[in-house]
Amino acid sequence: MARAHLFGTPVSPGIAIGTIRFLHVEAVPEMRRILPSEVEAEKGRLLEAMEAVREDLKTAMGKVPADMQEYREIIAAQVEMTRDPKLVNSTCQMVEQEHVGAAWALSKVVSQLVEVFRSLDDPYLKDRAQDVRVVGMRILNRLSGASRTHASDTNLILAAEDVSPADIMDLDVRSIRGIVTREGGITSHTAILARGMHIPALVCVTNLLVAARDGDTVIIDGLGGNVLISPSEEDTQDYSRREKAYAAWQASTRDTARWPADTRDALRVGVLANVEHASEAAELSGVGADGIGLYRTEFAFLKEVMPSEEELFEEYATVVRDAPGHGAIRTLDVGGDKLTRAQEAVREANPALGLRGIRFTLHNQDLFKSQLRALLRAAASSPEQGRLRILLPMISMVEEVRAVKRLLQEVDQELSMRGIAHAASVPLGIMVETPAAVFITDQLARECDFFSIGTNDLIHYLMAIDHNNMRVAYLAEAMHPAVIRSLKRIIDTGHREGLSVSACGELSSDPFGVVLMLGMGIDALSVSPPFLPGIKHLIRQLDAQACTELASQVLLSSDIRACKHLVNEMLQKVLGHELAFLTSTVMGARA
Amino acid sequence: MSLEDIEILPRGARLTLRLKIANGLHARPAARISREAQRYRSSLRIISENGEADAKSILDVLSLAIPHNSLCTLEATGPDAREAVAAVGTIFLQQD
């Protein structure tokens, strides 16, 4: 293909050059007529392909690591689909009756099935449409004789609409240099896997499936958000230079990661980690995390079966034991739409504004109390007090915090009566992420021990935009005066009431966000582990006094562009060429 | 309602029961049901208020979207109908 320059959202930093490999290419097979005498052979080919795919999937299932058992279940269901009588019979029938090729018949049957699943009300079953489609595509690839091993099986850049766990298990992980997808978001499988594998990844890459072909050379720039298809000689030279420079920079920031993040004028800023899996906690001291600013508890609940209190206790105790400092564990933050079928799934037209976060848990008290019991018990598993902190998501009313405190008291009494070791109380904090919470920070501050600003949701709710709606994505503007003023208000009020204030959204790992929030006096920033050494390095180059002055200027301005320019100027001055190594969505693609 | 209530029909067997699987018929039990049903020569249908499905097809079973505690009928026709109904019925009655 011709040289093409595409843009995407970086979800894992780094630069990679390699050969693009499309997973399950969704090529609609040709409609091919066959002779009646060929029907049996065609059916045989189909069954053979299904058998082969079943074996592939079983092999993939065997490779799933122990801590990702929920992925096994997804793959196990896919194995069953490869011999599903409905799929087999309908396809064979079509081949027999209409005398068409198996590939074409299969693609027709699969798309009908996908439609059936998509039309279901149940959100969990809706997602199964994806499984049907993936299985269908695998069989089609088999039928078309696409070989799974290419000559250049090193330096692969995976490309797909979206990446499913089986896809990764299928390949030799060490050969994958980067991932690009057309769909997905910051917390998609793609993002989590790529960060875990320390390879760059971009999601939401527009035109990906049109502009690139299997086997094309491609450069992915997980720093600036660029994808170059069939790059020119100069591009390649330029990016291999950048790749080397980035690797060197990364190594040097990692070397200094264990040192505290003190600004030039000796102000210490805490740098914490955002974590999804308990197993990550042990690796955090290597990237220099001072603690865990946000531990997301959703993962255990997204399985098909609800986790037991014991399982949760084990999980949280591991976090407390392995975290390099304190660990703020956020209580379940899902809406009914995300919890598979654990509860009767609540169907809401607008889940982001519905029964999610604290609203959901307060409505499902059995589930919530089981989580709170596990938390209080885990808090007692460490001799050091206050290592475990509880963080409440989606708070919009003081009453919600009070209700949680009452529940905590109940749970404490229950555990005492049953003679189970637990902490009587733990530090309690709230996520400030709704506009309502911003306006009552003073009242909320008197009910809790710390604030954590959830910048992503805060921006969406302040700007009244749906984060799934690409048409209004341009309004997700972190430098909007409403956002800047809210940040200032939360930090100031928190401090006035004697609370520590941290931030844990994407803005915390964005150099623009770092400069501004540091200027407003934020106590700690919580970022995804791969970004952590770089953010510490950035803080050490900054002057807190200068940041404060800059933040005041930005607070007074109504000109977003001018403000960005000002911040960019400061960043250029202190970081120079190093600025290119930090990912910024505020500034957008900079290449 | 238990496995003892299996009715023997002229050409097969039938059992009406409530689905006890905690979270309803999601992918994992559906996979188990279709795997189990395929071991028998009889054909086996699941009838619920959401419609009918071939128990041997995971896709069919899943698309019924049967919630926890709903009433369903298992109906088998064939030489080993009783055994098929009993085997799949057992899965329906398991808590998880």
Side-chain angles (χ1 to χ4, degrees):
Chain A
M1 291 292 275
R3 180 180 183 279
H5 187 171
L6 313 178
F7 301 95
T9 310
V11 290
S12 183
I15 290 169
I17 304 178
T19 312
I20 202 161
R21 162 79 74 82
F22 276 92
L23 286 168
H24 24 254
V25 194
E26 201 175 8
V28 180
E30 246 177 88
M31 145 85 163
R32 189 168 56 85
R33 292 263 170 216
I34 56 169
L35 296 169
S37 60
E38 290 172 320
V39 165
E40 284 312 310
E42 196 66 12
K43 276 159 62 181
R45 261 175 20 94
L46 174 72
L47 296 176
E48 225 171 276
M50 287 176 145
E51 177 67 38
V53 169
R54 183 152 64 243
E55 288 312 312
D56 284 351
L57 284 170
K58 280 185 183 162
T59 317
M61 195 160 71
K63 288 194 224 161
V64 178
D67 57 336
M68 292 187 175
Q69 284 311 307
E70 52 277 26
Y71 290 174
R72 275 185 77 99
E73 289 170 14
I74 299 178
I75 306 176
Q78 292 181 354
V79 168
E80 282 314 305
M81 289 178 192
T82 59
R83 60 166 160 225
D84 191 90
K86 197 166 192 175
L87 192 65
V88 179
N89 297 345
S90 313
T91 311
C92 285
Q93 228 170 32
M94 200 164 167
V95 173
E96 279 162 23
Q97 291 172 355
E98 300 180 21
H99 295 170
V100 288
W104 199 75
L106 181 73
S107 74
K108 283 284 159 204
V109 172
V110 166
S111 54
Q112 278 165 12
L113 285 169
V114 166
E115 276 320 304
V116 170
F117 276 91
R118 283 210 178 127
S119 66
L120 293 174
D121 272 341
D122 188 314
Y124 169 75
L125 288 175
K126 245 190 186 77
D127 281 351
R128 301 280 73 75
Q130 178 70 10
D131 292 333
V132 181
R133 216 163 52 93
V134 166
V135 168
M137 281 193 278
R138 277 174 178 266
I139 303 172
L140 280 180
N141 282 355
R142 235 337 137 151
L143 273 175
S144 70
S147 75
R148 314 214 95 245
T149 44
H150 286 230
S152 59
D153 251 0
T154 52
N155 295 332
L156 288 184
I157 307 285
L158 281 194
E161 266 189 56
D162 206 350
V163 174
S164 90
D167 301 330
I168 302 282
M169 302 309 156
D170 231 20
L171 294 154
D172 182 3
V173 171
R174 284 158 304 177
S175 64
I176 305 172
R177 291 283 172 272
I179 306 178
V180 278
T181 64
R182 192 181 70 176
E183 309 282 327
I186 196 94
T187 55
S188 60
H189 281 312
T190 312
I192 293 167
L193 284 164
R195 277 184 234 136
M197 288 158 63
H198 302 289
I199 55 172
L202 294 166
V203 297
C204 293
V205 180
T206 39
N207 287 329
L208 176 64
L209 305 182
V210 187
R213 290 282 173 274
D214 216 40
D216 281 350
T217 301
V218 65
I219 296 174
I220 74 166
D221 169 12
L223 302 168
N226 304 290
V227 180
L228 292 175
I229 314 282
S230 306
S232 66
E233 187 58 32
E234 287 149 58
D235 293 333
T236 313
Q237 277 175 9
D238 178 28
Y239 273 96
S240 14
R241 204 165 45 238
R242 286 202 217 183
E243 190 183 3
K244 284 199 195 79
Y246 178 69
W249 180 79
Q250 233 188 350
S252 79
T253 56
R254 252 173 208 280
D255 285 345
T256 56
R258 284 164 191 272
W259 297 95
D262 291 346
T263 60
R264 286 186 175 282
D265 46 351
L267 178 88
R268 183 157 301 180
V269 182
V271 186
L272 311 165
N274 292 343
V275 175
E276 270 104 21
H277 288 283
S279 58
E280 287 175 72
E283 296 155 22
L284 293 179
S285 55
V287 291
D290 298 317
I292 296 176
L294 170 64
Y295 180 80
R296 299 187 172 98
T297 58
E298 290 74 44
F299 223 82
F301 289 87
L302 295 178
K303 294 181 196 169
E304 289 169 356
V305 180
M306 292 302 280
S308 67
E309 182 187 321
E310 246 1 85
E311 284 173 283
L312 295 178
F313 164 69
E314 292 290 335
E315 181 187 342
Y316 306 152
T318 308
V319 175
V320 177
R321 187 190 66 215
D322 295 345
H326 75 257
I329 302 187
R330 185 177 69 187
T331 62
L332 185 61
D333 186 15
V334 291
D337 65 315
K338 271 198 218 148
L339 262 201
T340 56
R341 306 190 66 187
Q343 296 292 308
E344 279 294 299
V346 189
R347 300 188 231 304
E348 297 176 314
N350 201 340
L353 301 179
L355 201 61
R356 57 163 287 204
I358 199 69
R359 306 168 181 183
F360 180 83
T361 43
L362 285 175
H363 271 85
N364 290 274
Q365 295 208 351
D366 288 344
L367 176 154
F368 195 28
K369 278 168 82 174
S370 145
Q371 186 174 38
L372 293 178
R373 273 193 299 270
L375 285 165
L376 289 188
R377 289 174 55 197
S381 69
S382 157
E384 213 181 309
Q385 274 203 345
R387 267 179 77 86
L388 183 150
R389 303 179 178 185
I390 295 179
L391 184 55
L392 306 173
M394 271 300 275
I395 294 289
S396 52
M397 301 215 293
V398 173
E399 284 70 19
E400 290 163 338
V401 188
R402 293 191 186 132
V404 175
K405 285 167 125 177
R406 271 197 304 277
L407 282 178
L408 278 168
Q409 267 173 3
E410 271 177 47
V411 166
D412 165 40
Q413 280 167 1
E414 272 172 45
L415 289 169
S416 300
M417 278 202 299
R418 283 160 51 198
I420 299 172
H422 69 284
S425 71
V426 295
L428 184 68
I430 63 159
M431 298 282 301
V432 184
E433 52 191 342
T434 65
V438 173
F439 281 101
I440 56 165
T441 34
D442 52 336
Q443 297 173 353
L444 287 167
R446 285 168 215 139
E447 296 291 337
C448 65
D449 306 303
F450 64 98
F451 282 163
S452 179
I453 311 175
T455 58
N456 299 9
D457 277 332
L458 182 61
I459 294 171
H460 291 134
Y461 291 134
L462 275 173
M463 300 301 296
I465 51 175
D466 176 353
H467 65 104
N468 288 322
N469 188 341
M470 291 310 286
R471 279 180 288 187
V472 289
Y474 71 97
L475 283 168
E477 178 55 75
M479 296 285 278
H480 190 287
V483 177
I484 300 291
R485 287 181 191 182
S486 296
L487 293 174
K488 173 78 174 154
R489 189 186 174 107
I490 301 163
I491 298 170
D492 283 354
T493 319
H495 285 168
R496 202 158 50 234
E497 302 288 336
L499 269 57
S500 73
V501 184
S502 61
C504 64
E506 254 174 87
L507 203 53
S508 310
S509 56
D510 191 304
F512 283 69
V514 174
V515 165
L516 290 173
M517 289 194 282
L518 203 147
M520 296 179 195
I522 197 101
D523 299 290
L525 298 165
S526 193
V527 308
S528 170
F531 296 103
L532 216 144
I535 294 303
K536 280 190 131 176
H537 176 77
L538 164 63
I539 293 170
R540 292 191 203 104
Q541 316 305 310
L542 293 170
D543 183 278
Q545 190 55 44
C547 290
T548 307
E549 281 158 27
L550 189 64
S552 316
Q553 267 181 289
V554 169
L555 273 160
L556 289 171
S557 169
S558 60
D559 186 340
I560 298 174
R561 272 174 63 106
C563 289
K564 284 188 179 177
H565 186 73
L566 274 177
V567 181
N568 193 36
E569 211 170 40
M570 171 190 259
L571 285 166
Q572 286 287 355
K573 208 168 71 194
V574 300
L575 281 176
H577 73 283
E578 285 182 298
L579 182 55
F581 300 143
L582 291 159
T583 311
S584 174
T585 41
V586 173
M587 205 51 191
R590 274 183 315 239
Chain B
M1 251 177 288
S2 75
L3 292 180
E4 271 115 67
D5 300 331
I6 296 179
E7 290 169 67
I8 304 297
L9 305 174
R11 292 172 55 204
R14 178 164 63 197
L15 172 65
T16 298
L17 74 181
R18 283 190 188 278
L19 178 75
K20 285 293 160 203
I21 299 166
N23 306 319
L25 256 193
H26 52 77
R28 203 170 40 152
R32 256 163 57 208
I33 286 168
S34 56
R35 218 166 24 231
E36 193 62 29
Q38 283 175 31
R39 295 180 45 226
Y40 298 88
R41 286 165 58 208
S42 302
S43 69
L44 180 63
R45 303 196 64 74
I46 302 171
I47 303 149
S48 83
E49 60 181 27
N50 296 354
E52 279 189 48
D54 173 0
K56 297 186 183 190
S57 164
I58 183 178
L59 296 170
D60 228 18
V61 174
L62 268 178
S63 56
L64 272 189
I66 308 179
H68 170 70
N69 219 22
S70 48
L71 207 56
C72 338
T73 303
L74 300 178
E75 221 173 72
T77 329
D80 48 6
R82 196 181 186 290
E83 291 80 0
V85 168
V88 172
T90 310
I91 303 177
F92 267 66
L93 294 173
Q94 281 164 0
Q95 302 283 320
D96 64 6

